[in-house]
Amino acid sequence: MSAFDIKGGLSLRGDIKIQGSKNAALPILAAAVLNRGITKIYNCPLILDIYNMIIILEAMGCGVSVDGHCVTVDATGPITGIISKENAEKMRSSVILLGAVLGRSNSAYIAWPGGCSIGERPVNMHLDALEQMNVQFSPEDGCIRCETSELIGNEIKLPYPSVGATENVILAAVLAKGTTTLYNAAKEPEIVDLCLFLNEMGAEIHGMGTTMITILGVKSLMDISYTVMNDRIVAGTYLMAAAATCGDVQIYDVQERDMKSTLEVLAHMGCGIVIRPNKIRVVAPTVILPVEGIRTEPFPGFPTDMQSQMMSVLCLASGKSVIYEEIFEDRFKIAAELEKMGADIRIEENKAIIQGKCKLQGTTIYAKDLRGGAALIIAGLMAEGDTKVKDTVYVERGYENICMDLAQLGADIKCCLNNQAWHE
Ligand code: EPU
């Protein structure tokens, strides 16, 4: 079984470049389907979710080639719009292909993505919004059949600023007839990146990064090359690892404005934060201070994707911390693994109470989801002795080379990926 082997107790120090963003690259790859031509996407992270997206695009009839971090999508030919159960199960975010496929052809048939390890994750908001754009849905044996005579722009209000539903509406609206106005839209930087990509292709999108996005339908798009933004969650993970290990780490090419809430929490913990153009440096304090009442929220609030990593660090804090998980109901699974290492965490529904001041002890623990897996690696880095984090496959879904990156910063970490090769 795949595992990360970590000898704890070393401080992370140095500079590190951050990979391309998973959650920006995925919808941008989906968006490439809208262009009856060739799209070059640079800075794609080489991770499992991207490979799975490529498999789905190929199964739909796109030609895809990968050269380093550049993925070229040739969507000149016909697109099938069918996403099989096998492919939908590999990657829950296959649902973001729906808007793009409907923008290209008038029908889609996709397997129900279903719940996943961090929560039930329904898709009702995606379907309700697309219905308002003249799409009809019929459930069929674990799949959704989607038909439209023509996509028509509309005024749509999301009940909650869902990232995926916002992306689907944008993707469907780009080539739709008329104007779509989306209210209560998600404001995440990855959505802004998707819109910048689409506008470069010839789309007319305004207001991205605000709660109201307007999309004027256009007739067609054009071939472009685009560089995906860097990954603010990977960046935040490494900065939390610096805080956890009495470290001093500087990251490159990630925007401070995209990371404000994470940096605020690090500052509350007592970290020194130095911002320079295109660089963010975090210097850990000798004692981590507790944080009380942090809630996960849509951007610009504290990201749910950083909650687990923060939980690991707070096990070290000099007192009681309280975290509320407001977005995904199953994102406290790491608490049980951290307890195996000696942490004192009490879970009360969506509230986690962490009594700090404990030195974690290395042991064997299991990753159960992507960000939780990264958080357990952080726990291993700050623990006494040896830690084995098993089931690395979750972490591989989102981190291109977490082992090499952390080793470059001075960690003693080795990775055995699916029994194939050892990397340092
Ligand atoms: N929701 C519904 N109905 C819907 C859609 C969402 O009830 O139709 C609920 C979800 O169950 C959840 C909340 O709304 O409770 C927020 O979900 P959202 O749609 O915003 O999330 P997502 O689009 O499924 C993306 C990221 C996640 C990230 C969330 C929140 C991608 C591919 N995924 O998911 O990333 O946690 O936004 O920021 O962009 C990760 O990278 O580890 C990850 C899980």
Side-chain angles (χ1 to χ4, degrees):
M1 187 192 281
S2 58
F4 296 104
D5 285 306
I6 305 159
K7 275 193 201 307
L10 297 174
S11 289
L12 298 192
R13 284 177 194 281
D15 294 0
I16 191 92
K17 273 191 84 66
I18 300 299
Q19 69 183 59
S21 161
K22 165 176 88 73
N23 291 349
L26 287 170
I28 286 175
L29 283 165
V33 169
L34 289 168
N35 175 35
R36 288 173 197 268
I38 296 174
T39 309
K40 269 186 180 304
I41 304 158
Y42 289 93
N43 201 32
C44 281
L46 304 178
I47 51 175
L48 267 184
D49 271 12
I50 297 291
Y51 291 128
N52 285 331
M53 178 59 104
I54 290 171
I55 290 169
I56 295 173
L57 291 175
E58 285 176 336
M60 281 170 35
C62 297
V64 185
S65 61
V66 181
D67 180 8
H69 290 87
C70 175
V71 178
T72 304
V73 181
D74 183 349
T76 315
I79 296 297
T80 65
I82 297 171
I83 301 176
S84 68
K85 189 167 175 358
E86 188 197 354
N87 284 338
E89 271 170 2
K90 278 192 193 129
M91 192 184 58
R92 192 208 172 268
S93 43
S94 56
V95 72
I96 52 172
L97 277 154
L98 189 52
V101 169
L102 289 168
R104 228 348 251 281
S105 61
N106 288 352
S107 66
Y109 186 71
I110 73 165
W112 194 259
C116 77
S117 55
I118 59 173
E120 200 40 53
R121 303 185 83 175
V123 292
N124 57 309
M125 289 183 217
H126 301 242
L127 305 191
D128 289 352
L130 292 172
E131 235 166 19
Q132 293 173 61
M133 298 181 74
N134 193 34
V135 183
Q136 289 81 45
F137 295 100
S138 41
E140 259 179 40
D141 192 23
C143 295
I144 320 169
R145 183 173 290 286
C146 324
E147 309 273 356
T148 178
S149 51
E150 174 183 41
L151 286 171
I152 303 175
N154 202 346
E155 301 226 330
I156 299 168
K157 183 165 193 265
L158 293 177
Y160 177 89
S162 153
V163 172
T166 299
E167 290 167 347
N168 254 329
V169 170
I170 292 168
L171 292 169
V174 163
L175 295 175
K177 183 176 169 190
T179 299
T180 302
T181 309
L182 181 64
Y183 299 97
N184 203 22
K187 297 186 281 189
E188 269 66 5
E190 293 77 14
I191 288 172
V192 175
D193 210 35
L194 169 67
C195 294
L196 292 174
F197 165 80
L198 285 164
N199 280 351
E200 229 172 284
M201 269 180 148
E204 273 206 52
I205 308 173
H206 306 277
M208 55 278 203
T210 74
T211 53
M212 188 180 102
I213 301 179
T214 309
I215 307 116
L216 283 71
V218 296
K219 292 262 179 280
S220 62
L221 300 169
M222 59 195 164
D223 296 358
I224 59 155
S225 299
Y226 188 82
T227 302
V228 172
M229 66 183 281
N230 286 332
D231 197 308
R232 67 191 167 104
I233 304 299
V234 171
T237 302
Y238 294 167
L239 294 181
M240 286 284 171
T245 59
C246 240
D248 181 349
V249 167
Q250 180 163 262
I251 55 165
Y252 284 81
D253 297 331
V254 177
Q255 300 303 315
E256 179 207 358
R257 62 168 186 267
D258 297 343
M259 298 205 49
K260 269 198 163 21
S261 56
T262 299
L263 295 174
E264 269 165 31
V265 166
L266 285 161
H268 276 294
M269 288 174 173
C271 293
I273 316 265
V274 185
I275 309 287
R276 296 204 184 92
N278 290 327
K279 290 178 191 159
I280 303 173
R281 178 176 168 204
V282 164
V283 184
T286 36
V287 178
I288 296 280
L289 303 174
V291 286
E292 228 179 292
I294 284 286
R295 288 176 190 274
T296 61
E297 286 173 325
F299 189 84
F302 187 80
T304 175
D305 292 345
M306 285 301 305
Q307 182 264 110
S308 304
Q309 301 89 315
M310 173 174 66
M311 179 183 274
S312 286
V313 183
L314 290 175
C315 292
L316 277 183
S318 60
K320 183 179 94 175
S321 298
V322 180
I323 305 175
Y324 296 89
E325 174 53 60
E326 303 283 7
I327 299 181
F328 289 117
E329 62 274 19
D330 276 344
R331 264 206 160 154
F332 281 151
K333 281 186 188 152
I334 66 155
E337 301 303 301
L338 291 171
E339 279 173 1
K340 288 183 196 163
M341 302 176 80
D344 179 352
I345 302 172
R346 197 167 80 241
I347 304 294
E348 294 172 358
E349 296 182 354
N350 74 329
K351 178 179 177 186
I353 302 150
I354 304 143
Q355 291 293 346
K357 269 197 173 161
C358 77
K359 190 77 193 157
L360 299 183
Q361 296 298 324
T363 184
T364 298
I365 43 181
Y366 292 83
K368 300 205 165 107
D369 65 74
L370 163 59
R371 307 302 171 189
L376 293 178
I377 293 175
I378 294 178
L381 295 173
M382 66 200 216
E384 276 173 358
D386 295 349
T387 298
K388 197 181 262 301
V389 182
K390 290 201 166 179
D391 289 350
T392 63
V393 65
Y394 290 105
V395 182
E396 288 167 53
R397 281 191 35 222
Y399 293 83
E400 185 172 318
N401 212 334
I402 196 165
C403 252
M404 195 137 78
D405 287 348
L406 293 173
Q408 185 189 323
L409 294 172
D412 186 339
I413 176 166
K414 293 189 176 65
C415 182
C416 173
L417 296 180
N418 300 321
N419 292 330
Q420 283 168 7
W422 284 83
H423 305 270
E424 203 157 326

